Amino acid sequence: MLTPGTPRPRRLRKNNAVRQLVRENQISVSDLIQPLFVIDGEGAPEAISSMPGQFRMNIVDLCSECRQLTELGIKAIALFPSLDQSLKSAVGAESCNPNTLILRAIREVKEAVPDMQILADIALDPYTTHGHDGVLTEDGQDVDNDRTVEILSNMAVLNAEAGADFVAPSDMMDGRVQAIREALDEEGLIRCGIVAYSAKFNSAYYGPFRDAVGSSTAAGTTLLSKAGYQLDPANSRQASREIELDELEAADVLMVKPAGPYLDIIRLARESSNLPIAAYQVSGEYAQIHAAAKMGWLDLKRCRDESLLAIKRSGADLILSYFSKDWAMDQ
Ligand code: PBG
């Protein structure tokens, strides 16, 4: 027997009502951002095999998907193009074609569902044959930072002009947030914000996404390494420095990516900045929960909800997740 007066924290867990009264964190549908993949043409949605329930959709289907998402209360999408191989090149010139797929998609979504907030991804990987996020140096050994930043700035202007509410540079080049801000402002695009992928790690959890946009096996490079620009998973001080720099360069929102394996970095970002913090629960985090559930080893919905809640608890304000729609449908 315990002595009288022993603290009994279980009193706060004694029934569902009390548990709800003292609950510290919850997900709200307005925290969630659904990433979506768009393809050209009029074909049926293409299932992405490593991401069950996710599709590459044509623009018409994308617009109806956005209508459904708004009805569910989802306020924002992150858009990624999946391009025909014939449009890719070493320098990714298609990224700055004023009528490229993603720009047409943004214009049409904005027309169909004006309130839907669109985050346009700014990086060259969907456009390059080698699958890197930028253009290569002459010797092909590195991504050319400054030339890439110039292209990304153009791309950001085009995406903002098409109606993107936020541009989201996911490339990890030095100085790109400042360059993009200047380019947008010079064109009078002051209302377009920047969601900076500030602490983006060189993660193996991006595998399914690279299948989705076809950037993984480009030019026969099955082991595409982005270690020269994405953060080393071992490092939190470098993450801190990237976060600080992006804030100084006038980012509006700072992002940590992946989310689940980097909850410490989300917390660090939350504690070191007053800007909103976004976290990206990436394709591999989604795929692993689905795979285990398919094997009958994990409960899909409970793991989905727990994984999102953990991201929120660690300090994220916004969560990009492939589970967003699914989660909203269950509320
Ligand atoms: C690349 C980009 C990646 C993702 C979003 N933008 C992958 C990469 O860096 O190779 C990954 C998203 C995911 O895995 O869900 N600009």
Side-chain angles (χ1 to χ4, degrees):
M1 282 297 269
L2 299 178
T3 51
T6 298
R8 292 185 183 273
R10 284 186 56 199
R11 279 195 285 266
L12 295 181
R13 306 194 285 271
K14 72 176 181 182
N15 62 36
N16 204 26
V18 174
R19 287 193 292 272
Q20 286 187 39
L21 280 166
V22 301
R23 187 157 295 152
E24 299 170 33
N25 292 286
Q26 37 209 348
I27 304 288
S28 146
V29 70
S30 25
D31 302 330
L32 298 175
I33 299 174
Q34 175 74 44
L36 295 171
F37 300 101
V38 60
I39 45 170
D40 228 327
E42 273 116 55
E46 295 174 8
I48 302 163
S49 59
S50 49
M51 301 174 71
Q54 305 299 312
F55 299 85
R56 303 182 196 90
M57 283 173 267
N58 69 38
I59 295 182
V60 174
D61 291 337
L62 176 70
C63 291
S64 43
E65 182 72 7
C66 288
R67 276 187 213 102
Q68 277 183 48
L69 291 172
T70 345
E71 275 162 27
L72 289 166
I74 291 180
K75 310 276 182 294
I77 57 168
L79 266 189
F80 299 95
S82 174
L83 290 188
D84 195 84
Q85 208 57 33
S86 67
L87 291 172
K88 301 189 184 191
S89 68
V91 293
E94 176 65 14
S95 62
C96 293
N97 168 355
N99 211 24
T100 190
L101 171 63
I102 197 70
L103 301 179
R104 283 180 278 124
I106 293 171
R107 287 183 208 118
E108 300 221 6
V109 169
K110 270 289 153 188
E111 199 172 314
V113 195
D115 290 341
M116 181 58 86
Q117 301 300 295
I118 302 179
L119 274 66
D121 192 67
I122 303 296
L124 291 183
D125 54 310
Y127 301 95
T128 53
T129 35
H130 42 72
H132 277 292
D133 289 22
V135 295
L136 304 184
T137 50
E138 250 157 57
D139 61 7
Q141 295 306 299
D142 192 10
V143 170
D144 186 331
N145 191 92
D146 299 13
R147 265 182 69 215
T148 299
V149 168
E150 257 175 63
I151 301 172
L152 298 179
S153 305
N154 282 337
M155 211 179 148
V157 167
L158 289 168
N159 279 264
E161 282 171 349
D165 300 279
F166 291 91
V167 288
S170 65
D171 56 292
M172 291 302 282
M173 296 301 120
D174 294 334
R176 91 281 205 215
V177 171
Q178 183 173 346
I180 289 173
R181 187 68 269 162
E182 281 172 14
L184 293 173
D185 288 358
E186 274 163 20
E187 297 302 321
L189 298 160
I190 53 168
R191 284 164 57 85
C192 178
I194 302 179
V195 176
Y197 286 68
S198 304
K200 177 172 178 179
F201 287 87
N202 179 29
S203 172
Y205 287 88
Y206 306 147
F209 173 95
R210 293 184 189 170
D211 292 340
V213 301
S215 67
S216 52
T217 53
T221 50
T222 45
L223 283 174
L224 181 66
S225 172
K226 300 192 176 185
Y229 40 107
Q230 298 179 346
L231 287 167
D232 183 334
N235 293 342
S236 61
R237 289 194 299 266
Q238 281 188 17
S240 219
R241 180 155 161 73
E242 291 283 1
I243 287 163
E244 244 170 61
L245 286 172
D246 283 357
E247 177 157 9
L248 287 172
E249 292 180 36
D252 298 281
V253 178
L254 304 169
M255 198 199 294
V256 176
K257 174 184 178 184
Y262 296 88
L263 297 180
D264 57 326
I265 309 293
I266 297 175
R267 169 51 56 94
L268 187 154
R270 171 68 296 142
E271 286 175 356
S272 63
S273 173
N274 288 319
L275 292 179
I277 304 300
Y280 197 146
Q281 183 181 49
V282 301
S283 56
E285 300 179 72
Y286 177 81
Q288 66 183 356
I289 293 177
H290 266 283
K294 196 169 161 194
M295 296 297 286
W297 294 342
L298 289 177
D299 182 279
L300 180 67
K301 290 187 181 189
R302 289 192 58 201
C303 286
R304 173 195 71 191
D305 294 358
E306 187 176 333
S307 66
L308 291 171
L309 190 60
I311 295 166
K312 180 85 191 185
R313 193 191 61 237
S314 71
D317 303 293
L318 296 74
I319 303 175
L320 290 89
S321 170
Y322 300 97
F323 285 123
S324 297
K325 181 185 182 186
D326 195 41
W327 184 90
M329 280 174 30
D330 280 342
Q331 305 312 303

